[in-house]
């Protein structure tokens, strides 16, 4: 698989030093408050007060809590992206495409477990938000390329969406009654069925 065909998330635009300091203060305050009170239990007013910035600065920079969630997720998603592009196998290059696909599903399930409230907020902020964020385009392209290599007779474009569907934050949240281990194992089984099944 040609990793160069995966769309990178892109580097954040350059900003003035004071704007960068404010952004970091806001994100640090947001991360603290979300960790202490949960995403739903924190208001934009609380974040502005904690960060010691004006509400106007906060709203202009991030828009709403979904914008803050997306900004907090950005660095964490970049870590997973880098592991996919240049980390050790089986998640990174050097393993068979099927093994990489199973490793990705498992790694993304772990990412969801660690960041579920943030991912849920960013994916459900508006109808179709999940599919408009750059991260989804990257995950979809990665799964599509691996499927096309492992099972060239499949419609990899469509099947990639189907395999990512169980990783939607609202479904993952709805199935929290399952243990994380059971949910992850079920996803890995699904991927293995697609990789080995007859059509």
């Amino acid at each position: 698989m040609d990793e160069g065909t995966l769309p990178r998330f892109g580097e954040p635009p350059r900003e003035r030093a004071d704007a960068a300091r404010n952004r970091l203060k806001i994100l640090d305050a947001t991360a603290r408050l979300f960790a202490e009170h949960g995403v739903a239990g924190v208001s934009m007013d609380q974040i502005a007060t904690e960060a010691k910035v004006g509400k106007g600065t906060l709203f202009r920079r991030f828009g709403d809590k979904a914008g803050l969630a997306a900004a907090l997720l950005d660095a964490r998603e970049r870590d997973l992206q880098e592991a996919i592009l240049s980390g050790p196998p089986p998640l990174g290059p050097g393993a068979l495409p099927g093994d990489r696909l199973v490793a990705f599903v498992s790694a993304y399930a772990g990412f969801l477990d660690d960041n579920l409230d943030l991912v849920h907020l960013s994916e459900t902020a508006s109808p179709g938000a999940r599919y408009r964020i750059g991260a989804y385009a990257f995950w979809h392209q990665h799964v599509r390329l691996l499927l096309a290599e492992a099972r060239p007779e499949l419609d990899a474009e469509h099947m990639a969406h189907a395999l990512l569907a169980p990783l939607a934050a609202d479904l993952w949240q709805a199935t929290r009654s399952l243990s994380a281990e059971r949910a992850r194992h079920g996803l890995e089984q699904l991927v293995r069925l697609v990789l080995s099944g007859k059509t």
Side-chain angles (χ1 to χ4, degrees):
M1 181 177 77
D2 179 9
E3 301 294 345
T5 61
L6 288 174
R8 289 187 177 264
F9 292 173
E11 292 301 316
R14 291 182 182 258
E15 56 189 341
R16 295 186 332 264
D18 60 330
R21 280 192 301 274
N22 277 341
R23 179 176 55 82
L24 290 175
K25 281 177 18 182
I26 291 167
L27 292 178
D28 287 346
T30 302
R32 270 195 315 277
L33 289 170
F34 283 178
E36 290 172 17
H37 306 289
V39 174
V42 176
S43 70
M44 293 291 275
D45 285 350
Q46 287 172 288
I47 293 168
T49 300
E50 180 78 9
K52 297 178 176 54
V53 299
K55 285 192 287 186
T57 298
L58 180 62
F59 282 98
R60 275 192 306 276
R61 185 65 192 250
F62 297 100
D64 56 16
K65 279 204 298 186
L68 281 163
L72 284 174
L73 284 170
D74 185 60
R76 300 169 196 182
E77 288 169 335
R78 284 177 195 275
D79 289 344
L80 182 53
Q81 180 195 35
E82 287 307 315
I84 288 167
L85 292 173
S86 57
L91 185 58
L96 293 172
D99 293 339
R100 291 193 72 194
L101 187 53
V102 172
F104 166 72
V105 166
S106 182
Y108 192 79
F111 175 82
L112 263 183
D113 286 334
D114 293 340
N115 300 285
L116 184 56
D117 289 344
L118 291 175
V119 177
H120 186 265
L121 180 60
S122 72
E123 287 186 356
T124 61
S126 62
R130 179 182 193 221
Y131 308 102
R132 289 192 301 273
I133 56 178
Y136 185 84
F138 179 88
W139 312 137
H140 179 268
Q141 181 79 335
H142 180 58
V143 172
R144 184 186 70 76
L145 291 170
L146 292 174
L147 279 172
E149 191 175 347
R151 293 283 309 275
E153 75 278 17
L154 294 179
D155 179 350
E157 179 82 19
H158 180 269
M159 189 62 71
H161 287 299
L163 288 179
L164 288 169
L167 291 165
D170 56 349
L171 178 59
W172 202 255
Q173 195 169 62
T175 57
R176 269 222 159 143
S177 58
L178 304 177
S179 71
E181 182 181 341
R182 183 179 170 196
R184 196 176 304 196
H185 180 67
L187 282 169
E188 291 173 4
Q189 283 182 309
L190 175 62
V191 171
R192 288 191 174 101
L193 281 171
V194 169
L195 290 169
S196 64
K198 305 296 181 189
T199 60

